[in-house]
Amino acid sequence: MIPQQQLSGGQNLAMKDEVQQQQFSKVASSEAEFRQLIGDENEGTLARFVDNKLNVLIWSRSPRDRNLIFGAQVSLPQLIRELAPLIEPAEAELQSEICATLLDDAAKPVAISRPGFQAHWKHPFVATEIGETLPHWEVAVYLLNPAKLKNSARTVKLTLGLLIAVLILAISVGSWLIVTDLSQQLKLARQKTDFVSNVSHELKTPLTSIRMFSELLAEGRVNDPTKQRSYLGIITAETARLTRLINNVLDFARLERGEKKYKLEQCDLRALVKETCETFRPHFEANEFKFECQTPDHPVLVQGDRDGLAQVIVNLLSNAEKYSGNQKQIELRLEKNDSKAEITVLDRGMGVPKGCEEKIFEQFYRAHDSLSSGIQGSGLGLTLARQIARAHGGEVGYEGREGGGSCFRLSLPLVM
Ligand code: ADP
């Protein structure tokens, strides 16, 4: 592997000696470098850049004398001709999509799968170096139509984005539903516990009074006839309260099970209202209430279940009494309004706190709880009233009153 160079015969001897001397030292250093490069190997290839041009050598050590090494320089144009067919894409489908090239160390294409193809050679779609034998040479692939890939990448990105968005949405909606359902269940469980304690208290209080006053009367310990009448009045009122509560609870349970059926027949609301008011009047008057019941002169006909409608009026009147406080003033008005019959129950009591106007119609909901207000209740009266009204094609609603107090309005369709 000694570079051969001949000197022309016209040069003088001294000069020849000097050149030979230089050549020898050059050869000696090249040889040492070469030996260092090949090490103990028996054969191999060696790539060197000389004057910025790649030279590839193949070499082999003589098996008989290891100091004897044969070598040859590879012809790069020949090598490129041999490599060119290897970069052709094997699949026909790919041939119409990509162009494969062999790039030399200056990133210039020396072999190309689609003749005439032009691209920014330094920016391939994908590239890989060939290896040590051809240093800095690369096989590079270019897309014939990069816009197509961009479009499909955009579509994939969009689809993926959409999928992720849908997934996030589904997870959020799911979690929201679970959390809402859980808090609903918790709320209901709490309300049911409150309801049980409220109802047991509401049952116990009238029972205690009934028992106490009936015992007093039975033992003959009260001789004053006025007192006797008053005690009997208390017993009647407490019994009515008990009946109301039990009716509400039983009806609510029937409605929950879908068993409650209303017998709708033509009934005169005026007669029903008068009757209910008269049942309440003695009790109201005994408790110093100013009670007014206004009804029109003519009958007010509706299609309804008498007992059901009476229960709504009773619930509204007994609430007016319970939540009146010291303002003992209750009014009931029956009016005809367009095609509707309207019963309004008005009081001057504490009114419904702001924000609770609709909640009071929810089952077990109490805006004035027993502990803070001292007023007993089950939280079912208005729920039932609304359910009964709706079963009649009507409605019960609440309005605040100027000057304080409540106004509950039951509206029912009139029979024409
Ligand atoms: P309760 O047995 O607790 O009275 P209701 O369903 O009849 O149950 O009423 C629900 C809630 O509505 C009551 O707890 C009370 O806070 C409120 N409420 C009902 N009627 C009146 C009224 N006339 N004035 C003020 N608040 C009322």
Side-chain angles (χ1 to χ4, degrees):
M1 297 301 298
I2 300 169
Q4 294 297 309
Q5 234 181 39
Q6 294 296 320
L7 284 171
S8 65
Q11 285 171 306
N12 64 33
L13 248 152
M15 214 170 138
K16 206 173 168 186
D17 263 8
E18 200 182 319
V19 169
Q20 262 179 354
Q21 195 63 40
Q22 273 176 7
Q23 271 185 353
F24 180 74
S25 59
K26 232 175 171 180
V27 166
S29 74
S30 299
E31 191 186 334
E33 196 188 338
F34 179 72
R35 285 198 182 279
Q36 201 180 0
L37 280 171
I38 64 171
D40 270 350
E41 303 287 319
N42 288 330
E43 56 186 21
T45 58
L46 198 59
R48 310 296 289 161
F49 284 95
V50 178
D51 296 334
N52 258 344
K53 269 194 76 189
L54 177 68
N55 289 284
V56 180
L57 307 175
I58 51 172
W59 58 270
S60 175
R61 222 185 265 277
S62 162
R64 259 178 275 154
D65 181 357
R66 287 186 62 76
N67 281 330
L68 205 58
I69 296 166
F70 300 100
Q73 183 170 349
V74 175
S75 153
L76 279 183
Q78 182 60 34
L79 182 67
I80 290 165
R81 271 195 297 282
E82 298 283 334
L83 289 176
L86 300 179
I87 60 165
E88 291 283 340
E91 289 168 36
E93 231 176 76
L94 273 180
Q95 282 173 5
S96 59
E97 302 274 341
I98 58 165
C99 168
T101 57
L102 184 63
L103 299 179
D104 68 7
D105 48 275
K108 288 226 176 64
V110 289
I112 191 159
S113 70
R114 283 180 82 92
F117 176 76
Q118 283 298 329
H120 204 308
W121 303 115
K122 286 204 168 142
H123 298 291
F125 175 60
V126 61
T128 180
E129 287 209 1
I130 290 177
E132 278 175 24
T133 314
L134 292 169
H136 308 306
W137 283 43
E138 287 181 334
V139 174
V141 171
Y142 300 84
L143 295 175
L144 295 182
N145 186 3
K148 198 173 154 193
L149 188 83
K150 244 189 218 164
N151 278 347
S152 35
R154 203 177 298 136
T155 318
V156 171
K157 208 169 128 187
L158 208 80
T159 321
L160 265 170
L162 268 171
L163 257 169
I164 292 170
V166 167
L167 249 158
I168 292 174
L169 197 79
I171 292 171
S172 329
V173 170
S175 332
W176 180 77
L177 280 176
I178 292 171
V179 169
T180 327
D181 188 56
L182 265 176
S183 56
Q184 198 87 23
Q185 303 266 1
L186 268 173
K187 191 176 149 199
L188 210 67
R190 221 178 9 247
Q191 282 178 338
K192 278 188 178 161
T193 326
D194 288 353
F195 166 75
V196 172
S197 77
N198 284 341
V199 167
S200 16
H201 201 90
E202 263 219 275
L203 284 171
K204 255 163 92 184
T205 325
L207 277 175
T208 317
S209 322
I210 293 170
R211 197 173 151 197
M212 191 177 80
F213 289 112
S214 53
E215 269 175 14
L216 278 177
L217 291 171
E219 284 164 15
R221 288 204 276 173
V222 187
N223 297 320
D224 180 0
T226 335
K227 267 194 173 171
Q228 281 176 348
R229 259 202 308 283
S230 146
Y231 289 175
L232 282 171
I234 293 172
I235 291 173
T236 318
E238 292 298 284
T239 319
R241 198 169 126 191
L242 258 181
T243 316
R244 263 197 316 268
L245 173 71
I246 290 166
N247 278 346
N248 278 348
V249 173
L250 288 181
D251 278 1
F252 177 74
R254 278 190 208 118
L255 272 167
E256 281 278 277
R257 290 198 299 267
E259 284 172 6
K260 182 76 190 165
K261 297 272 177 293
Y262 294 102
K263 221 165 67 197
L264 301 187
E265 51 197 12
Q266 189 161 306
C267 73
D268 178 12
L269 214 50
R270 185 179 67 141
L272 182 69
V273 164
K274 274 189 166 174
E275 211 176 284
T276 319
C277 283
E278 289 327 303
T279 326
F280 262 89
R281 189 176 296 282
H283 172 71
F284 279 157
E285 282 173 358
N287 285 286
E288 291 154 17
F289 271 89
K290 193 170 159 247
F291 180 50
E292 254 184 72
C293 180
Q294 295 174 19
T295 51
D297 309 328
H298 45 269
V300 179
L301 298 181
V302 294
Q303 198 68 22
D305 180 295
R306 270 187 71 87
D307 292 344
L309 293 179
Q311 198 177 357
V312 179
I313 303 169
V314 165
N315 283 354
L316 295 182
L317 282 175
S318 81
N319 274 354
E321 181 202 352
K322 276 201 295 187
Y323 300 101
S324 267
N326 295 326
Q327 303 297 317
K328 300 192 168 197
Q329 210 177 309
I330 298 173
E331 223 179 293
L332 189 152
R333 291 185 205 143
L334 168 65
E335 289 157 319
K336 271 186 180 181
N337 231 334
D338 299 329
S339 55
K340 284 186 285 182
E342 283 187 347
I343 297 176
T344 326
V345 178
L346 303 133
D347 64 60
R348 283 282 174 208
M350 48 196 77
V352 173
K354 263 208 158 24
C356 299
E357 293 88 345
E358 269 306 303
K359 284 190 189 151
I360 51 173
F361 293 95
E362 288 172 15
Q363 57 189 24
F364 313 129
Y365 187 85
R366 304 203 65 217
H368 306 89
D369 75 285
S370 326
L371 267 183
S372 51
S373 67
I375 305 168
Q376 302 304 320
S378 61
L380 285 182
L382 289 179
T383 315
L384 266 171
R386 183 167 263 184
Q387 278 173 349
I388 296 171
R390 287 185 175 170
H392 284 75
E395 185 57 291
V396 181
Y398 166 82
E399 289 157 35
R401 267 187 100 183
E402 283 236 343
S406 302
C407 164
F408 283 90
R409 181 167 292 130
L410 160 70
S411 51
L412 295 166
L414 277 170
V415 171
M416 293 296 175

